[in-house]
Amino acid sequence: MAGACAMCAVGAFALVVSMVLGAGARFSGAPTASNGPSGTDGPLAPTADASEDAGVRAGGPLPGPRAHLQGRGPVAPGPEGSVPSQVPRGPAERLAAVSLEVIRLGEVSRRASRSYTEGHRAALEQLAERDRLRTALLGEQRLVSALRRSAGAIAAEQYRTGNMIGYTVRQSAAEGRKPLATVLAEAEKREGMLAARLRGAGRESRAMESDSATAASRIATLTARSARLQEERTYADRGLSAARGELQQLSQEASRDGSCGRLPRAVSTAARALAPAASPRGRWTRPVESYELSAPFGGEGTRWADGHTGQDFAVPVGTSVRAVGGGKVASVTCGDGFGISLVLRHRNGLYSQYAHLSAAMVRPGQRVRPGERIGLSGNTGNSTGPHLHFEVRRTPDLGSSVDPVSWLRRHGVRL
């Protein structure tokens, strides 16, 4: 029985991931729908915080930028090692496939952006090192020239007289008529030191020339790598924009028809493999990683009868929404002003709500950990632009909310 259940899990994973193979081809062109902010919910936050040059596939490299747009993710083999190729047809299947594609392309873009930022910083450091080496090399070359002139003067004197006497007499006169024996000893010592310093300066110059060439080579490599990462990010963002547009349309349909954008468990499993959620340091964390705060708690306006009951986070459609703390899913609802919405009950007896989602990745009664991905942000319900509406309540019902920003701050989380 256990073996059969394992095969079921693998089969479900393969089914959901195979949806992406059919859906990915739709995201290879220009954006088909606008998913930018509108109304009063504030501008979108950037999609990336910065990333390493690794692939979204666990332990593997980033696939080529064009492959990102063709849905090439980790695919579980079929019963005989073949890859399923069916195209999602129903709204629920399409929503699952598009949700997973948004997560995948978002991770590709995030990692490419972080790697690009790190590479750009490394290139700047190499440029500074190259300039430092060039300046130092110029100084060494000037020193070598001066040493060679001094050595040349001594050698010329020896050549003319066959000894150091004439040179010693002039140096004695120039240095306050020191005894000739002292000046001669100093001149011979200076000559030896001069020759040694000249040899050392030559070695330093050659080493600096080599280091400068190495720095220039590293700069060229980093520049080429940055250009490749920028291309990957551009292609991923283009596909991501198109996928977000379709996700927004499908989620609004799911909110209206009452299905509430609930995704199969296999989507959550695949999403964890494609883009593992970051583990918080403490028991509490932010509901989204990258964001821009928009409408605050207690705000007044025509959209809210009794003031704004939560804090809005302006984020693009499809941004991963995380549980701010451990607890149990109290409800998954849709169809009202909150659109697709989740409520969690935490161990301290308080509740947190996540509204205007495009998809729900948990079920009522399911236990969640702090930072676990529970849904995707959206623009459903009474919303004037893509954002997450976040509330903290004393009860699961509307009307018992507290200031979520202050509450999070008291629990060690600053926004």
Side-chain angles (χ1 to χ4, degrees):
M1 180 63 70
C5 292
M7 288 300 295
C8 290
V10 171
F13 180 86
L15 174 61
V16 173
V17 177
S18 67
M19 295 175 182
V20 178
L21 290 175
R26 294 196 299 275
F27 309 135
S28 59
T32 57
S34 172
N35 51 70
S38 60
T40 57
D41 288 293
L44 293 182
T47 59
D49 42 5
S51 137
E52 64 199 16
D53 188 18
V56 296
R57 291 177 291 184
L62 282 173
R66 298 182 190 280
H68 298 179
L69 310 184
Q70 298 171 7
R72 295 178 186 169
V75 179
E80 299 180 359
S82 60
V83 175
S85 60
Q86 63 266 35
V87 176
R89 299 186 183 279
E93 289 182 340
R94 289 171 58 206
L95 180 64
V98 174
S99 296
L100 193 56
E101 185 74 346
V102 167
I103 293 172
R104 188 178 72 85
L105 290 174
E107 182 69 2
V108 171
S109 178
R110 185 186 72 83
R111 291 190 177 189
S113 296
R114 190 170 70 183
S115 294
Y116 175 84
T117 300
E118 292 172 352
H120 182 66
R121 185 185 305 116
L124 291 177
E125 291 173 355
Q126 286 295 318
L127 282 169
E129 176 65 7
R130 185 199 64 184
D131 292 343
R132 184 192 68 79
L133 287 169
R134 285 180 174 176
T135 301
L137 178 59
L138 182 61
E140 283 294 318
Q141 289 172 341
R142 289 172 177 168
L143 175 61
V144 168
S145 297
L147 291 173
R148 283 175 176 168
R149 286 194 297 271
S150 298
I154 296 175
E157 182 66 27
Q158 288 178 321
Y159 178 78
R160 284 194 301 270
T161 63
N163 54 52
M164 294 281 289
I165 299 300
Y167 176 80
T168 301
V169 171
R170 285 196 297 275
Q171 286 296 108
S172 175
E175 296 179 10
R177 299 187 181 280
K178 288 182 180 180
L180 289 179
T182 302
V183 175
L184 180 61
E186 290 178 352
E188 290 175 343
K189 182 178 179 181
R190 185 183 299 115
E191 184 182 21
M193 293 176 62
L194 186 62
R197 185 68 185 90
L198 185 58
R199 290 193 296 270
R203 288 193 298 269
E204 287 290 325
S205 295
R206 290 190 293 273
M208 287 180 185
E209 287 175 351
S210 176
D211 291 345
S212 182
T214 300
S217 176
R218 287 175 179 170
I219 291 168
T221 300
L222 289 167
T223 300
R225 179 171 174 267
S226 294
R228 178 177 61 82
L229 289 168
Q230 181 64 29
E231 183 185 14
E232 287 189 0
R233 184 172 63 175
T234 298
Y235 275 107
D237 286 349
R238 185 179 301 169
L240 181 59
S241 179
R244 282 172 174 162
E246 184 165 359
L247 176 60
Q248 178 167 311
Q249 177 184 350
L250 292 171
S251 66
Q252 290 171 343
E253 294 173 1
S255 179
R256 289 192 297 266
D257 67 21
S259 61
C260 297
R262 288 186 288 266
L263 301 178
R265 291 184 185 274
V267 173
S268 297
T269 302
R272 284 195 296 271
L274 291 170
S279 300
R281 295 181 178 177
R283 295 175 55 191
W284 303 96
T285 188
R286 303 176 182 88
V288 287
E289 291 186 16
S290 298
Y291 56 88
E292 193 168 304
L293 295 177
S294 49
F297 175 78
E300 298 180 352
T302 57
R303 290 176 294 153
W304 310 298
D306 299 311
H308 194 219
T309 56
Q311 172 65 56
D312 286 351
F313 294 78
V315 289
V317 169
T319 299
S320 293
V321 175
R322 309 184 299 171
V324 295
K328 182 185 290 187
V329 180
S331 65
V332 178
T333 60
C334 61
D336 57 12
F338 286 122
I340 299 173
S341 175
L342 296 171
V343 175
L344 304 183
R345 186 182 189 279
H346 300 286
R347 295 181 180 89
N348 59 4
L350 289 178
Y351 295 79
S352 60
Q353 183 192 24
Y354 312 79
H356 305 307
L357 304 178
S358 59
M361 303 181 74
V362 290
R363 295 286 187 276
Q366 179 178 336
R367 292 193 176 276
V368 297
R369 301 182 304 277
E372 182 175 344
R373 184 187 288 109
I374 57 176
L376 300 177
S377 67
N379 190 28
T380 56
N382 183 20
S383 172
T384 60
H387 71 286
L388 169 69
H389 173 87
F390 174 69
E391 287 194 19
V392 175
R393 299 175 179 170
R394 298 186 184 90
T395 74
D397 303 317
L398 185 64
S400 60
S401 59
V402 299
D403 185 346
V405 176
S406 298
W407 185 85
L408 285 172
R409 187 183 301 118
R410 289 197 299 273
H411 288 79
V413 179
R414 294 188 175 275
L415 301 177

